[in-house]
Amino acid sequence: MNTIKINATSRHKLSPYLHMQFAEPLSNADISVDAAWNYVENCWEKNFVKLIKRLAPPMIRWGGCFASYYHWKEAVGPRSSRVPMLNLAWDGVFSNQIGTAEFVELCRIANSEPLMCVNMESDGRKTWAYPCPGADRRGTAEEAAEWVAYCNDPDNKLRKSHGYNDPLTIRYWQIGNETSYFYAEATGDRTWIRDGYTSKENAAAAKRFASAMRKADNDLKLIAWGDDEYAIDVCEELGDMIDLIAFHSHWVYSRENGGEVLTDCYYRQDPEAVWNKMLSASKELDEKIISMKELVKPYNKRLAMTEGHFCIADGRDRGDILSSWAAGVAYAKNLNTIARHSDVLDIATCADFFGNRWQVNAMMLPTPVYAGKAYLMPVGEVMGLYSQHCGKFAVQAECSDKDVDVTASVDGNKMYLHIVNTNAHSAIPLKIDAGGSSIAKAHAWEIASAPWKEINQLDTECFLPVKKEISPEKYIIPAAGVAAVELELI
């Protein structure tokens, strides 16, 4: 029988923020944030809030590309005075009825740590800084520092005038977002060019912002953009002024790069090819994190993967394959890959938070709200499962069966295993060796289904975890199964 072996003597502290969710207003691309807001009662939709309890996000991030043209003062204070804004990356208009206070309220409801992304001079992109005559969307270091003070200064007059006597208390702030990425399209040949700051310009701007923000509150956890080669300059320029280096990892598949099997309706035609292609993403993710670890190692910096998910470029631009259980298993394996790098990785995610169209979301919301139930996508079910069954210290775990992917953690006399059966056809019997410790009780929370099974509005609970008592001497994980196993040790 195949054995899972745990070495609990080799351990390191496990960050609680490895299952973070990412909320960004996406306007025409996906109603996202707006879809969860009740504009009549000015509160978060009750069904949405109820579902958050299952997702259990330990941290929620506000920002993304949206941050590069966001002025926070337009979304605070009386609702009648809030200023709608063009959503330049995603098209359409954002009402700004959801701003800093509403976001912090959501984090408190979900018992989540808030993470804000500031407008760092539009990341050097003039098309976002000055999109049309008379428009100035460029953020400054002073504006960012005022935002920190608004949130964290107990005596901030502006916040108090808005009815919030106590600080909102936001400790984690990201400076810059995808500054190194290609966004501007050259005329004619559809060639993408880099239009943001160079690596050195990014580091210089981040230093201006970090200095100003720390003057407002020195007790911040600051994250600077440093994907790929940008990491070196930002580490050398900012030193101890920053705590974490941000990067993103999106697994992009399209017809152009050999990912046709996942696009449009093609993914329904060859389940075996789809399965293998989805599971291969963990190798890409592993290589990406390893490369980032090597870049920051000389500077003793830690990492924050503040965005990460599959991007399926298909004709409807929805990524319909991500509603399938094949995606759930692939995401579970990616989350295990993240956990194996938790010696340096402090923040990570595998999904955008919620919306009503784009399948990269952890949660799908009905539109209109009375048309159906909100539900967790496969990635949301897995992230919620892992988040709620996880220890405080990561320990080593391995399985003798190559089809079984496993990670482990401990907290006192509790041991937690996250197990993925990457065999789509066969259940696998396993013996669990808890590193010499005796096991008094063992329970598993399992999700298992045919890989081609898809969740939708007519069947919103098809991937709910099932709890069962198991024998550590012979635990059988189902084909295409994902399990969180909890062991009570003697």
Side-chain angles (χ1 to χ4, degrees):
M1 184 183 299
N2 293 297
T3 302
I4 291 177
K5 293 185 177 181
I6 297 102
N7 177 8
T9 61
S10 177
R11 64 177 68 188
H12 61 264
K13 190 172 182 180
L14 189 64
S15 170
Y17 305 130
L18 298 181
H19 307 117
M20 179 265 287
Q21 296 297 329
F22 165 42
E24 177 179 11
L26 300 180
S27 293
N28 287 359
D30 188 311
I31 300 304
S32 59
V33 170
D34 283 1
W37 185 253
N38 185 322
Y39 280 82
V40 176
E41 299 180 14
N42 285 320
C43 65
W44 296 101
E45 286 289 350
K46 295 179 177 61
N47 290 332
F48 162 69
V49 168
K50 183 178 179 180
L51 194 59
I52 286 177
K53 305 298 183 182
R54 274 188 35 219
L55 185 58
M59 173 181 274
I60 303 174
R61 175 179 178 245
W62 176 268
C65 294
F66 173 87
S68 298
Y69 42 84
Y70 181 62
H71 289 315
W72 67 270
K73 287 184 180 179
E74 295 175 346
V76 295
R79 299 195 178 280
S80 59
S81 66
R82 298 196 183 188
V83 182
M85 58 176 282
L86 291 174
N87 202 336
L88 300 170
W90 306 109
D91 207 0
V93 175
F94 182 58
S95 69
N96 271 328
Q97 292 298 297
I98 304 165
T100 305
E102 292 77 19
F103 172 69
V104 171
E105 177 192 358
L106 176 61
C107 290
R108 289 174 177 169
I109 289 171
N111 196 28
S112 304
E113 186 80 25
L115 164 59
M116 284 294 195
C117 191
V118 303
N119 181 346
M120 188 191 74
E121 299 172 358
S122 297
D123 292 280
R125 297 189 172 93
K126 293 181 180 179
T127 54
W128 283 356
Y130 311 107
C132 55
D136 185 349
R137 308 306 303 176
R138 181 178 179 272
T140 66
E142 292 73 24
E143 180 182 10
E146 289 176 357
W147 198 5
V148 171
Y150 180 88
C151 295
N152 295 352
D153 183 354
D155 300 318
N156 186 266
K157 293 181 180 179
L158 180 60
R159 185 193 67 246
K160 288 191 171 187
S161 73
H162 294 159
Y164 299 96
N165 289 321
D166 297 327
L168 301 177
T169 313
I170 301 178
R171 293 299 171 199
Y172 285 83
W173 298 77
Q174 181 175 328
I175 303 171
N177 178 76
E178 297 189 349
T179 319
S180 55
Y181 289 4
F182 297 76
Y183 282 122
E185 188 180 343
T187 303
D189 62 358
R190 295 187 61 80
T191 300
W192 293 89
I193 61 173
R194 179 171 291 163
D195 65 331
Y197 280 149
T198 65
S199 180
K200 290 190 181 299
E201 289 171 337
N202 171 69
K207 188 173 184 178
R208 290 193 291 273
F209 275 67
S211 177
M213 293 167 73
R214 288 207 179 277
K215 287 179 181 177
D217 183 352
N218 193 45
D219 189 26
L220 299 178
K221 292 288 186 181
L222 293 184
I223 307 167
W225 181 257
D227 207 340
D228 292 333
E229 73 273 14
Y230 277 50
I232 296 174
D233 283 329
V234 82
C235 284
E236 291 188 349
E237 183 68 24
L238 277 81
D240 293 338
M241 294 177 70
I242 55 167
D243 302 283
L244 298 159
I245 302 298
F247 71 101
H248 293 167
S249 184
H250 297 124
W251 312 292
V252 181
Y253 297 108
S254 66
R255 297 179 185 181
E256 287 73 20
N257 70 356
E260 183 178 47
V261 68
L262 303 181
T263 65
D264 299 309
C265 294
Y266 292 114
Y267 72 90
R268 294 192 176 105
Q269 298 178 9
D270 191 344
E272 199 70 29
V274 167
W275 181 257
N276 293 330
K277 191 69 173 178
M278 295 292 287
L279 292 180
S280 70
S282 62
K283 185 175 184 294
E284 294 180 30
L285 175 60
D286 187 56
E287 291 172 350
K288 175 68 177 183
I289 300 175
I290 288 173
S291 70
M292 288 301 304
K293 288 171 75 170
E294 289 300 313
L295 287 168
V296 302
K297 185 177 180 179
Y299 309 98
N300 197 32
K301 289 298 178 187
R302 302 186 67 80
L303 295 171
M305 193 178 93
T306 55
E307 290 183 34
H309 54 68
F310 282 95
C311 287
I312 311 298
D314 58 26
R316 289 181 289 187
D317 197 26
R318 286 171 48 94
D320 290 336
I321 177 64
L322 300 180
S323 67
S324 74
W325 182 238
V329 177
Y331 272 123
K333 192 176 179 186
N334 288 352
L335 288 167
N336 278 2
T337 299
I338 286 169
R340 280 190 281 271
H341 290 291
S342 57
D343 57 325
V344 174
L345 192 58
D346 278 356
I347 295 172
T349 186
C350 278
D352 287 3
F353 192 2
F354 56 90
N356 64 351
R357 181 181 181 276
W358 207 10
Q359 304 290 300
V360 300
N361 293 310
M363 188 188 305
M364 295 299 288
L365 308 179
T367 300
V369 293
Y370 53 78
K373 291 175 62 178
Y375 61 90
L376 295 184
M377 289 286 285
V379 62
E381 290 286 9
V382 173
M383 292 184 80
L385 180 69
Y386 278 14
S387 182
Q388 294 183 66
H389 301 280
C390 192
K392 294 181 179 179
F393 295 90
V395 296
Q396 293 180 348
E398 60 183 8
C399 184
S400 55
D401 191 311
K402 63 179 178 60
D403 288 332
V404 175
D405 189 282
V406 59
T407 58
S409 59
V410 296
D411 184 1
N413 71 329
K414 293 279 186 73
M415 181 174 287
Y416 303 86
L417 307 181
H418 295 163
I419 308 174
V420 185
N421 182 357
T422 63
N423 189 316
H425 307 289
S426 301
I428 299 176
L430 299 168
K431 179 181 179 180
I432 301 174
D433 179 351
S437 298
S438 298
I439 301 172
K441 293 180 181 178
H443 290 88
W445 287 259
E446 292 178 352
I447 311 175
S449 180
W452 49 87
K453 173 69 175 177
E454 296 179 42
I455 194 167
N456 58 50
Q457 194 61 59
L458 300 177
D459 188 9
T460 60
E461 298 184 347
C462 58
F463 301 138
L464 283 178
V466 176
K467 180 182 179 181
K468 60 175 67 173
E469 189 172 351
I470 64 171
S471 168
E473 293 298 315
K474 188 178 181 181
Y475 168 51
I476 301 176
I477 184 167
V482 174
V485 173
E486 188 173 310
L487 307 173
E488 188 174 319
L489 307 179
I490 301 175

